[in-house]
Amino acid sequence: MPKIVVDPVTRIEGHLRIEAMVEGGKIVDAWSSGTMWRGIETIVKGRDPREVWLFVSRICGV
Amino acid sequence: MIVRRVKVEGKKSLYECLVKLGVSRRDFMKFCSSMCATLALSSSFVPHIAEAIEKKKKPYAVWLEFQSCTGDTESILRASKPSIAQIVLDIISLEYHETIMAGSGYSAEKALEDVVKNQKGKYIAIIEGSIPTKDGGIYCVIDGKTAVDRAKEVCGNAAFTINVGSCACWGGVASAKPNPTGAVGVSELISGIKYVNLPGCPTNVENVTATIVHYLTFGSLPVLDRENRPLFAHGKRVHDNCERRPHFDAGQFVRKWGDEGHRLGWCLYEMGCKGPMAYFNCPTVKWNEGTSYPIQAGHPCIACASNDNWDVYGPVYKRAPHVPGAGFQATADKIGLGVVAGTITAVAAHAFVRSLAGYKSKDKLAKEKTETDKA
């Protein structure tokens, strides 16, 4: 079964990978993966709650 | 779309492209003057800048994103002087940029490969975002390759690298404690490359453009400080050009959010402003077509363009720490008594920054200095 991989998916914020299985010209199965992680949820643990917005606002700058 | 246009017009000079886009000669000269001002050059350099942009071929560039929020891309897309939205994109032949390029997957990667192979040693690598080193680099993988491998290949073959934003310079927000992914900046990962750090969260487009214009005009990188930041952008403290500075000198401080002092635009030092320790041209260049910047909008400076600002310069809302021997904290409330006290405070702030910088080993500093001299 032929497999299509699109990585990187462009014109988006972040990093995305799409994999699709093709059978008889039709996509029969597909997967998407976000291929970047920074762990901001871990970084803000234990910090002053008043400044957490400065960290989490940097999850996406778009 | 951009990639297609660049391919058609790749051999033309920037000026020819701008004319085609309907930019007038007057706007072009305004742009050259504004670049001259940003670079802190005398106005006699305006013709040199104009000449370089008119005649030089556009350099090839690739823009790689790693652990980023795309904020630096957003900053670049808001280039406004002199209302040439495409200026940065047209000043260089941008062959690869995931957020704005038309191709994706195979065709995108092919464009990158072509530049790295065919323009070896000639193209500019622009890096946005930090690079995760933990667990074999699995926290950022593009087209099956880790950010570590991609950065090494692309930066290693470039004429020089521009690190845009604090993440690419030294890890930024992703490297804040406990740095779960082992995020580092480009210079920590790859040694022996020629690079410029343009930190800030995000970087300021005026400084990126000015750095490239400097390269086009003089064939070299601008003068850098020991953190590899251009002196024209990071030679002065935020505090030195802050419009709230007279209130600092007069001892007029905001004590509580929304109090009378806050409403009157008094100094934010007591609320945690790190302006006295931050070296950035933020107050003069500003953002959104020179409209405003954080302190002007009423928020303390977080020293976003300083190495490890989240943990070294934080917490954000805590007044800058006491500097032993100089009476920094003790004098802050009494500054209104006289200019002398203000001067001592400024000296203390400078000493504080120097002491912060002291964590680097002498060897590393010596190495950086050599690299700066070379650049």
Side-chain angles (χ1 to χ4, degrees), chain A residues 6-8 10-15 35-39 42-43 47 50-51 53-55 58-62, chain B residues 65-67 69-70 74 98-99 101-105 109 139-141 143 177 181 201 310-311 315-317:
Chain A
V6 184
D7 184 8
T10 55
R11 280 157 286 140
I12 57 156
E13 191 280 320
H15 300 285
T35 58
M36 186 273 280
W37 185 74
R38 284 168 294 173
T42 316
I43 291 166
R47 290 185 190 267
R50 292 175 303 165
E51 66 178 60
W53 72 272
L54 283 158
F55 291 80
R58 280 155 174 88
I59 289 171
C60 179
V62 177
Chain B
E65 273 180 67
F66 297 125
Q67 284 179 303
C69 70
T70 318
E74 283 291 321
E98 282 176 38
T99 312
M101 72 192 300
S104 59
E109 290 310 293
Y139 299 111
C140 184
V141 179
D143 193 31
K177 281 174 192 164
T181 58
C201 198
W310 300 105
D311 294 310
V316 172
Y317 300 111

Side-chain angles (χ1 to χ4, degrees), chain B residues 25 28-29 32 45-55 217:
Chain B
R25 179 79 193 166
F28 173 67
M29 290 313 289
C32 294
F45 280 98
V46 173
H48 295 286
I49 289 178
E51 195 189 343
I53 295 176
E54 275 172 339
K55 291 185 181 163
T217 310

